[in-house]
Amino acid sequence: MHSEADDIKKHVRTYWMIGGALYVFTVITVAVNQIHLALPFAVTLALIVASMKGYMVASVFMHLNHEKKWIYGSLLLTVAFFIVLMSIPLFTVMDSIGTDIVQEVPAGSAHPGAGAPAH
Amino acid sequence: MLNYLGLPIAASEHAGEIDHMISLVHWLMLLMFVGWGLFFIYVLFRFRKGANPRADYVGAKGKLSKGTEIAIVVAEVVLLVGYAIPAWARRVQQFPAESEATVVRVIAEQFAWNIHYPGADGRFGRTDINRVSSENPIGLDRTDPDAKDDLTTINQLTLPVDRPVLVHLSSKDVIHSFGLFEMRVKQDAVPGLDMPVWFIPNRIGDYEIACSQLCGLGHYRMRGFINVKSEADYRAFLAEEAKFLTQ
Amino acid sequence: MDNVATLGTAAHEHAHDHAHEELGFWRKYVFSQDHKVIGIQYAFTSLLFLLFGFGLMMVMRYQLAYPGSPIPLIGNWLGSANAPGGIMLPEFYNQLGAMHGTIMVFLGVVPLAVGGFGNFVMPLQIGAPDMAFPKLNMMSYWVYFVGGVVMLVSFFMTGGAAQSGWTSYPPLAVISPGQTMWLIGMIFLITSSLLGSVNFIVTIVQLRARGLTWMRLPFFVWAQFVTSFLLLLAFPPLEAAGVMQLMDRVAGTSFFMPSGLVVSNQVATSLTGVATGAVGSGGGNPLLWQHLFWFLAHPEVYVLILPAMGIVSEVIANNTRKPLWGYRALVYSVGFLGFMSFIVWAHHMFMTGMGTTMSAFFQTTTMIISIPSVVILTALLLSLWGASIRFTTPMLFALAFLPMFGIGGLTGLPLGLAPSDIHLHDTYYVIGHFHYVVAPGTIFALFAGIYYWFPKATGRQMNELLGRIHFWGSFVCINLVFAPMLIQGLGGMNRRLYDGGMQYALNADLLKWNVVIGMAAWTLGLFQLPFIINFIMSIKWGKPVDNNPWEATTLEWSAPSPPGHGNFLTEPVVYRGPYEYSVPGAAQDFTPQFEPERA
Amino acid sequence: MNIPYTVEVRPDTGLANGKLGIWLFLASEVMLFGALFSSYIILRTGSIHWPQGELNVWLGMVNTFILIGSSVTMVMAWASLKLNDWGKHRLYLILTFALAGIFLVNKYIEYADHITRGEYPSHSTFVAMYFTLTGLHGLHILGGMVVMAYFIGPGKKMYQTNREQFVNRIEYTGLYWHFVDLVWIFLFPVLYLL
Ligand code: HEA
Ligand code: HEA
Ligand code: CUA
Ligand SMILES: [Cu+2]
């Protein structure tokens, strides 16, 4: 038991450090965002940073760095299906024989895609 | 060999290959069902309690099941690689050139099929959803020079025989499905998309267009007609229709 | 073997020292946390829904058999908005269709197979005193109940119930009346399933009795285990999609609504948000819904079949008096089936404009997924070899399941190959295909389960003669209902037609079958009467039985019938595999899992 | 009747029931938000014009800070329990609750701003996505707050009667709370920055 308390004490330091790191990363993303990068690059960067933050939260705060095999197993399965889920956009547009019909813009709205003002 | 399935008559060039495939699959299914079924009935009879009061702990031995399972896998692979995938590729990849084909637009709406022919110039006129009205269901802009000679009909799709047909399929409102049973053609009409559909009608006659996707309360009566005519009759039809334009 | 000694120190405090903590009527029978009571609640509710869903279908079949004639008996009660003069309107037909599908799948079969059988049998089979989270279990039932009530109430709202099919494809679903209630109901039902599946998985992983290793689990438990994962991971995307469709309807968003729609010659910047007057922006994607829907709905069809296979396996093992053939192969097959079921969904969407790559992928996965089904069916068939078959009522239903599922599964093959699906998609062939799997397949398996576990739940046995009448009548009629549908489909008759396809010249020769199907369906209804009578009467007057009337081997039969609170009188310990029937040298032809090893 | 392994772990899995339960629940949440992200991608790539920089980045950043902060206080609330420091635990838990509240207040200000500008969900697909994603996330925050309120108030009695289970429950609450934070970590760049 004694070692557990020590362990926790050690962990507490890590928690604060991770908290700090998460703040720093947030500042970095926002700062990078202020210098407007090309979109594909910005997306990649933002997602990489977000994934790193996510990794820190999951592994340290949620103790995923040392969990039991049933939890890893369930999450592995979830990740597999999550990947399938994230491939839906690809499946929907990449291999379609249909082509978009670009409609004449109806009177009163700016873009059919988005940003049309309400009235 | 095909008729046992009661398929409708086949009126397009690729229908044969689809029917062939349907037939092959059904033979496979029949074989499996009869095979397992005979075994099943035999076993039920032979191993009923009256005939076999004490069960055998070990039960079936031998590798027969593995063998049949492998045979089924092989049959499925053959169907898939030999028939299904190439046949599908011909449907969705090898579209005829617009110059060689009869090109028409089909615009589905609740609950009718609007047909739009490009007319003599072979070019479709501009359409605009703001012009849509009950007289002009597809919103054709007659001021557009390309539109001058365009023909439109409702629920009547007339086509020449033995020439590729390329349909540009779309929908004004909800999802419909352009189902031509005798042509072995089916394609959903999804609003916002232009779907190409092609086939070669090879049999003169009158057939139906069946809406094959639930599209509202009138879905059941969303029926159109295809009239496949000889080349000469088709031209006569176009000329006849064009007369209405000048009036 | 493995952990017999080390496990279960905590399973010590069991059952019967609680006899004194008496619960009031409400806590005991209504807001109960006992898995057995909850299971029975689920079973009753879902049976009523099944009956109701079947009732809707019998009305529909009348309209299909005799389009345009007034519906007898109940025609005048349907209301002039639905059936003026007793003659059904197309709107109402579409409502009945959508609600039949929804009710049968989400309110009938799944709650019965998982909520009912899973809840009642699974904890008993693994030797657990209850589910891992009893309160959560109670909540799942009540959330399901509310979802069901919302669905039923929708019939009485202005505009009626949902009428865009159980698939609810937008844009139609977004602009049709009734859909809002459907979506709200679905959100409840999904939430209920999610809570339930968490509970199931935890229970199976954590509460297995001492000695009950994974390879000693009854196959039914395996089936429930895989099913729970399907529910857990496939349902949330539909929940997300449901929320988005709800937004499209009430907040005027356009997630699924493309730009430039024209409905009834009215340009619609938005057709959505009719209720709020809000205006949508367009730019949505109707196919996105289909992907999210089928991402759930394909795994969902295996949710319908896996528990059924589980039940059938139990009944077959018991009535053949021998072990299941190829237990391991069965287990690996359901696992594989469950896994693969997440990557075949787009075989429902071949006609939405799919290119070669994608269609090749989904055709291939669809063919692959048919293999484990073949393996399972083959294993169950081979289990009959060398058996000593007792043709009890549950066994009759379980045996009928095999060829019926066979027909249903085999007719899935031509649907799974895209070119043949061109002809068959959205015809009655599809209806025939899946009803063969769900009706004479799953429903029969569920009947088998009811006859089989009824003694455990009530301490009494159902009547065999009535059971046999029920079986043979149902078996003949149900085939007369669904086999003609395959013929109609091949002949080119579309599904979801209000007048049964009368409009089309192509269907002229197929219409006669509508009458046959109608007759068969009503007769099928009549043959359910012996069951209902049997079911209700046997609760009170059935033949009383002891713990193990079927001389079965799995753990639930060691508990009293009906089991008390906490299930077992002594801590259950497992010594062997689940189906040790006719062990050579044993005195009896069954050696239960709970029977200690003789020294 | 007692359900085994509610408090102590099952030897062969090394888990208590609740731990596995909460993780499975989170797995389903992954799929829930995953579907929305997936929809976001498809709607965005399919759109002709996607507004950028429409949202108040600073407000979003402040909210990110708040949530990350609350995650730290949450894990500290649990760690303090483990170290048998009840006082600190109370402090941190209440702090977490308060931070969650501030997050929602900020969110309210943001929403109100959109509404007054006439940016209802029907305004554009972007705004629709924004409201749906943040709305659903907000509901999760609210749910978390309800749970915390319970453990701050009536639920705290359990610490006396069944200490270990109480600690476990705080741990599970924490897991949920970190997950909600994690979702926001992805929502923030996706909605505010890109
Ligand atoms: C429980 C439900 C269930 C099950 C198990 C299945 C199983 C299968 N389904 Fe089915 N399906 C549905 C329910 C189900 N389906 C539903 C509800 C729909 C329609 C939804 C809608 O549109 O509304 C549908 C629709 C559907 C489609 C879409 C059709 C279309 O809309 O055009 C496709 C296409 O691939 C398909 C394929 C398959 C395949 C390949 C299997 C395979 O898994 C089958 C594998 C099984 C076998 C191959 C059988 C092997 C058995 C033997 C060999 C034994 C024989 C035994 C004896 C004789 C004793 N199904
Ligand atoms: C699990 C799913 C399930 C089940 C079991 C059934 C069962 C039946 N279905 Fe259904 N059906 C669907 C799911 C199901 N269906 C779906 C998803 C659709 C598509 C909807 C759409 O188009 O959107 C559909 C569509 C559908 C159609 C097509 C409608 C159309 O396209 O227009 C038809 C047509 O005949 C039909 C008929 C039947 C019949 C005759 C039964 C019979 O087999 C019914 C038999 C039922 C029983 C035998 C139940 C008996 C219950 C009891 C006796 C309970 C007793 C109670 C107590 C003891 C308390 N169904
Ligand atoms: Cu158009 Cu059905
Ligand atoms: Cu499927």
Side-chain angles (χ1 to χ4, degrees):
Chain A
M1 264 335 252
H2 72 101
S3 73
E4 200 187 352
D6 288 348
D7 268 1
I8 301 276
K9 281 210 187 93
K10 237 185 279 147
H11 286 161
V12 165
R13 222 170 313 130
T14 330
Y15 296 149
W16 287 109
M17 268 156 56
I18 291 290
L22 288 170
Y23 276 101
V24 173
F25 273 111
T26 308
V27 173
I28 290 176
T29 4
V30 175
V32 167
N33 184 249
Q34 296 311 96
I35 44 165
H36 297 275
L37 294 168
L39 191 64
F41 190 62
V43 171
T44 327
L45 201 70
L47 285 185
I48 290 178
V49 175
S51 307
M52 280 161 69
K53 287 161 76 179
Y55 173 75
M56 289 193 281
V57 172
S59 65
V60 178
F61 289 169
M62 301 170 87
H63 312 300
L64 268 191
N65 46 10
H66 52 90
E67 253 311 343
K68 297 296 178 298
K69 69 171 197 287
W70 270 99
I71 287 175
Y72 285 138
S74 315
L75 291 182
L76 210 64
L77 206 62
T78 312
V79 168
F81 296 142
F82 181 79
I83 291 170
V84 177
L85 188 61
M86 295 315 276
S87 67
I88 283 184
L90 208 70
F91 282 135
T92 316
V93 288
M94 288 318 199
D95 195 29
S96 168
I97 60 168
T99 42
D100 283 325
I101 300 174
V102 181
Q103 295 281 356
E104 292 293 315
V105 179
S109 57
H111 289 285
H119 41 239
Chain B
M1 182 177 106
L2 286 176
N3 249 350
Y4 75 102
L5 289 172
L7 297 173
I9 56 161
S12 74
E13 230 172 74
H14 73 274
E17 100 184 320
I18 287 186
D19 290 356
H20 184 55
M21 213 184 108
I22 294 180
S23 161
L24 279 179
V25 187
H26 278 84
W27 279 118
L28 173 71
M29 290 154 60
L30 205 67
L31 197 72
M32 284 168 70
F33 188 73
V34 171
W36 270 256
L38 288 178
F39 176 82
F40 182 56
I41 291 169
Y42 172 71
V43 168
L44 288 188
F45 181 73
R46 171 163 165 203
F47 295 107
R48 65 188 193 279
K49 190 177 178 194
N52 194 29
R54 177 91 199 184
D56 170 18
Y57 181 76
V58 179
K61 278 188 289 248
K63 296 265 184 298
L64 193 64
S65 72
K66 202 154 261 158
T68 47
E69 276 155 17
I70 289 170
I72 291 167
V73 174
V74 170
E76 287 185 356
V77 170
V78 168
L79 279 169
L80 202 58
V81 179
Y83 293 84
I85 294 176
W88 186 260
R90 279 192 285 280
R91 294 288 87 223
V92 299
Q93 269 189 341
Q94 298 167 11
F95 292 104
E98 302 233 336
S99 53
E100 290 159 15
T102 316
V103 185
V104 290
R105 290 179 66 216
V106 173
I107 304 103
E109 73 173 78
Q110 288 176 324
F111 302 98
W113 302 97
N114 297 292
I115 318 288
H116 182 182
Y117 298 88
D121 65 356
R123 283 204 299 273
F124 290 105
R126 215 164 59 83
T127 57
D128 174 359
I129 54 172
N130 290 306
R131 285 176 194 270
V132 170
S133 68
S134 53
E135 292 79 49
N136 187 2
I138 62 170
L140 187 63
D141 181 0
R142 288 283 180 192
T143 61
D144 180 20
D146 289 343
K148 288 254 154 33
D149 58 353
D150 287 14
L151 301 174
T152 60
T153 60
I154 296 179
N155 287 335
Q156 294 287 344
L157 174 59
T158 307
L159 297 170
V161 74
D162 288 334
R163 203 137 64 86
V165 179
L166 181 61
V167 178
H168 287 283
L169 183 65
S170 59
S171 166
K172 283 160 70 176
D173 39 38
V174 302
I175 301 177
H176 302 268
S177 192
F178 184 61
L180 314 176
F181 279 105
E182 292 91 344
M183 306 290 161
R184 308 292 189 267
V185 164
K186 198 171 285 160
Q187 173 61 55
D188 286 1
V190 183
L193 290 177
D194 173 329
M195 297 286 188
V197 182
W198 79 282
F199 56 98
I200 305 175
N202 63 358
R203 219 180 140 127
I204 292 172
D206 296 336
Y207 311 104
E208 285 162 308
I209 307 174
C211 182
S212 302
Q213 181 66 263
L214 181 63
C215 53
L217 54 94
H219 164 63
Y220 72 100
R221 58 180 161 80
M222 186 164 163
R223 176 184 55 156
F225 300 92
I226 324 184
N227 313 306
V228 178
K229 294 182 188 301
S230 69
E231 191 70 34
D233 287 352
Y234 177 64
R235 287 192 190 291
F237 158 79
L238 288 182
E240 185 70 20
E241 284 288 312
K243 270 195 224 143
F244 288 106
L245 276 183
T246 49
Q247 284 166 6
Chain C
M1 262 156 259
D2 315 17
N3 291 314
V4 182
T6 52
L7 271 187
T9 36
H12 278 153
E13 322 101 296
H14 35 220
H16 49 194
D17 43 345
H18 314 280
H20 43 267
E21 54 173 79
E22 266 308 320
L23 298 168
F25 171 81
W26 285 91
R27 294 273 315 278
K28 201 163 169 188
Y29 297 111
V30 183
F31 296 104
S32 170
Q33 299 180 14
D34 183 339
H35 74 100
K36 298 180 293 299
V37 179
I38 297 175
I40 290 168
Q41 287 175 326
Y42 260 117
F44 256 109
T45 321
S46 52
L47 276 171
L48 288 175
F49 274 117
L50 272 183
L51 197 59
F52 180 66
F54 188 24
L56 299 183
M57 185 38 71
M58 289 199 272
V59 178
M60 284 170 80
R61 280 311 331 179
Y62 188 83
Q63 162 67 20
L64 295 177
Y66 309 107
S69 30
I71 296 154
L73 303 177
I74 58 161
N76 291 326
W77 299 354
L78 296 175
S80 57
N82 297 325
I87 299 171
M88 187 186 290
L89 291 176
E91 295 90 316
F92 188 55
Y93 180 84
N94 289 350
Q95 288 176 32
L96 292 179
M99 294 309 281
H100 163 75
T102 307
I103 288 175
M104 284 304 207
V105 172
F106 296 111
L107 289 163
V109 171
V110 174
L112 182 54
V114 179
F117 283 108
N119 245 316
F120 187 90
V121 177
M122 184 273 284
L124 287 169
Q125 282 197 331
I126 64 171
D130 203 323
M131 295 288 263
F133 310 111
K135 282 207 194 72
L136 200 67
N137 203 12
M138 174 180 82
M139 231 165 83
S140 325
Y141 172 75
W142 285 105
V143 174
Y144 155 70
F145 188 83
V146 172
V149 170
V150 171
M151 289 288 183
L152 286 184
V153 166
S154 71
F155 273 107
F156 301 100
M157 308 284 281
T158 39
Q163 45 183 272
S164 312
W166 79 296
T167 48
S168 295
Y169 285 0
L172 181 64
V174 175
I175 63 175
S176 299
Q179 190 69 17
T180 305
M181 288 294 270
W182 187 88
L183 289 164
I184 295 172
M186 280 307 290
I187 289 173
F188 276 101
L189 295 177
I190 295 170
T191 308
S192 155
S193 280
L194 290 178
L195 299 180
S197 56
V198 169
N199 213 344
F200 272 57
I201 299 173
V202 174
T203 307
I204 296 174
V205 174
Q206 291 283 102
L207 302 190
R208 277 167 295 123
R210 235 174 351 133
L212 189 52
T213 57
W214 286 96
M215 282 300 148
R216 286 176 177 178
L217 280 185
F219 186 63
F220 178 77
V221 177
W222 270 111
Q224 292 286 342
F225 188 62
V226 175
T227 303
S228 299
F229 269 104
L230 298 186
L231 288 173
L232 183 78
L233 297 176
F235 247 142
L238 186 65
E239 188 149 33
V243 169
M244 286 195 280
Q245 198 178 89
L246 200 60
M247 290 285 282
D248 274 5
R249 284 184 67 86
V250 300
T253 59
S254 310
F255 291 119
F256 304 124
M257 303 294 276
S259 309
L261 296 186
V262 185
V263 175
S264 317
N265 297 329
Q266 296 275 310
V267 177
T269 347
S270 166
L271 307 152
T272 62
V274 187
T276 55
V279 175
S281 52
N285 189 333
L287 293 183
L288 172 62
W289 167 270
Q290 296 192 17
H291 280 287
L292 293 175
F293 180 83
W294 290 116
F295 188 87
L296 156 85
H298 187 86
E300 177 77 11
V301 307
Y302 290 94
V303 170
L304 299 174
I305 203 71
L306 295 185
M309 289 173 168
I311 294 171
V312 166
S313 310
E314 297 299 307
V315 175
I316 286 188
N318 176 254
N319 287 288
T320 51
R321 314 308 294 166
K322 63 181 284 300
L324 283 183
W325 191 87
Y327 173 82
R328 266 170 196 275
L330 282 171
V331 170
Y332 296 146
S333 294
V334 272
F336 184 64
L337 202 60
F339 186 84
M340 286 301 290
S341 72
F342 279 87
I343 44 176
V344 301
W345 78 88
H347 66 205
H348 297 270
M349 299 170 60
F350 286 138
M351 301 308 138
T352 56
M354 218 183 261
T356 1
T357 324
M358 207 173 135
S359 84
F361 176 77
F362 283 103
Q363 290 180 72
T364 310
T365 52
T366 304
M367 288 303 114
I368 293 175
I369 205 174
S370 68
I371 300 302
S373 300
V374 174
V375 173
I376 293 175
L377 262 279
T378 308
L380 290 178
L381 269 179
L382 286 178
S383 299
L384 301 175
W385 188 270
S388 170
I389 302 173
R390 304 188 303 200
F391 291 96
T392 58
T393 307
M395 185 61 167
L396 288 175
F397 277 104
L399 287 173
F401 170 91
L402 301 176
M404 296 295 102
F405 174 79
I407 298 178
L410 290 170
T411 48
L413 298 179
L415 298 175
L417 297 168
S420 41
D421 193 42
I422 293 176
H423 182 62
L424 300 171
H425 176 65
D426 257 321
T427 63
Y428 265 92
Y429 195 85
V430 176
I431 302 285
H433 152 64
F434 74 78
H435 279 90
Y436 257 109
V437 215
V438 294
T442 301
I443 296 260
F444 272 23
L446 294 172
F447 281 139
I450 291 175
Y451 285 101
Y452 184 63
W453 279 301
F454 192 90
K456 186 46 61 185
T458 62
R460 288 165 192 280
Q461 204 145 16
M462 286 173 79
N463 182 289
E464 275 287 312
L465 178 66
L466 286 175
R468 271 154 212 278
I469 296 173
H470 176 212
F471 170 75
W472 285 108
S474 299
F475 181 73
V476 172
C477 290
I478 214 157
N479 276 291
L480 285 174
V481 171
F482 296 118
M485 291 189 189
L486 298 173
I487 299 172
Q488 289 182 322
L490 283 165
M493 183 189 276
N494 275 341
R495 63 193 280 201
R496 294 168 167 169
L497 296 177
Y498 155 72
D499 63 356
M502 241 181 28
Q503 302 275 324
Y504 293 95
L506 183 65
N507 292 341
D509 288 344
L510 302 169
L511 291 177
K512 58 176 183 286
W513 291 113
N514 282 343
V515 182
V516 175
I517 296 173
M519 302 277 183
W522 306 314
T523 321
L524 176 64
L526 282 183
F527 273 111
Q528 302 316 304
L529 292 181
F531 170 69
I532 296 174
I533 294 168
N534 194 355
F535 187 86
I536 295 171
M537 304 285 272
S538 301
I539 294 175
K540 251 194 124 116
W541 293 289
K543 192 177 98 204
V545 292
D546 63 0
N547 285 0
N548 193 358
W550 305 112
E551 310 194 311
T553 51
T554 44
L555 270 186
E556 75 269 33
W557 303 107
S558 74
S561 307
H565 197 50
N567 292 346
F568 298 94
L569 300 179
T570 55
E571 186 203 341
V573 181
V574 170
Y575 300 92
R576 58 180 65 73
Y579 306 116
E580 294 297 292
Y581 289 102
S582 302
V583 180
Q588 299 161 302
D589 71 346
F590 66 110
T591 320
Q593 286 190 288
F594 45 85
E595 193 174 284
E597 222 80 61
R598 254 177 289 267
Chain D
M1 155 208 22
N2 292 318
I3 309 290
Y5 314 121
T6 41
V7 182
E8 75 285 19
V9 300
R10 180 176 164 115
D12 64 344
T13 61
L15 290 168
N17 298 340
K19 183 78 161 276
L20 183 59
I22 190 77
W23 271 110
L24 290 169
F25 174 70
L26 294 183
S28 84
E29 295 276 83
V30 168
M31 298 302 276
L32 178 71
F33 282 101
L36 287 171
F37 275 111
S38 198
S39 308
Y40 169 91
I41 297 172
I42 192 173
L43 291 172
R44 176 165 185 172
T45 50
S47 73
I48 297 168
H49 166 78
W50 193 262
Q52 265 177 287
E54 288 249 306
L55 303 177
N56 188 334
V57 175
W58 305 111
L59 213 51
M61 189 174 92
V62 169
N63 257 354
T64 312
F65 282 153
I66 292 173
L67 265 200
I68 293 175
S70 78
S71 238
V72 177
T73 53
M74 185 74 229
V75 77
M76 287 308 295
W78 169 77
S80 316
L81 271 186
K82 279 280 194 193
L83 298 170
N84 287 322
D85 193 336
W86 177 247
K88 262 204 183 145
H89 159 74
R90 299 281 296 167
L91 180 72
Y92 279 123
L93 193 60
I94 292 171
L95 209 58
T96 315
F97 182 81
L99 285 170
I102 300 174
F103 179 92
L104 284 186
V105 170
N106 263 343
K107 205 80 236 157
Y108 172 77
I109 295 173
E110 226 180 325
Y111 274 19
D113 193 36
H114 286 290
I115 301 291
T116 48
R117 273 188 286 153
E119 288 176 1
Y120 296 97
S122 52
H123 177 75
S124 72
T125 306
F126 169 71
V127 179
M129 208 72 231
Y130 162 77
F131 272 109
T132 311
L133 275 168
T134 56
L136 206 63
H137 180 261
L139 283 179
H140 279 78
I141 300 265
L142 209 62
M145 285 177 73
V146 171
V147 174
M148 282 182 238
Y150 175 75
F151 288 126
I152 292 170
K156 71 169 185 241
K157 284 196 298 278
M158 188 183 242
Y159 188 67
Q160 260 71 48
T161 54
N162 192 344
R163 182 172 296 201
E164 259 181 90
Q165 188 162 3
F166 184 80
V167 179
N168 283 348
R169 287 188 167 183
I170 294 294
E171 185 187 0
Y172 308 149
T173 314
L175 285 173
Y176 171 79
W177 193 251
H178 302 311
F179 176 79
V180 174
D181 180 26
L182 207 150
V183 171
W184 182 259
I185 285 176
F186 282 90
L187 279 187
F188 171 61
V190 161
L191 292 175
Y192 289 76
L193 300 181
L194 296 176

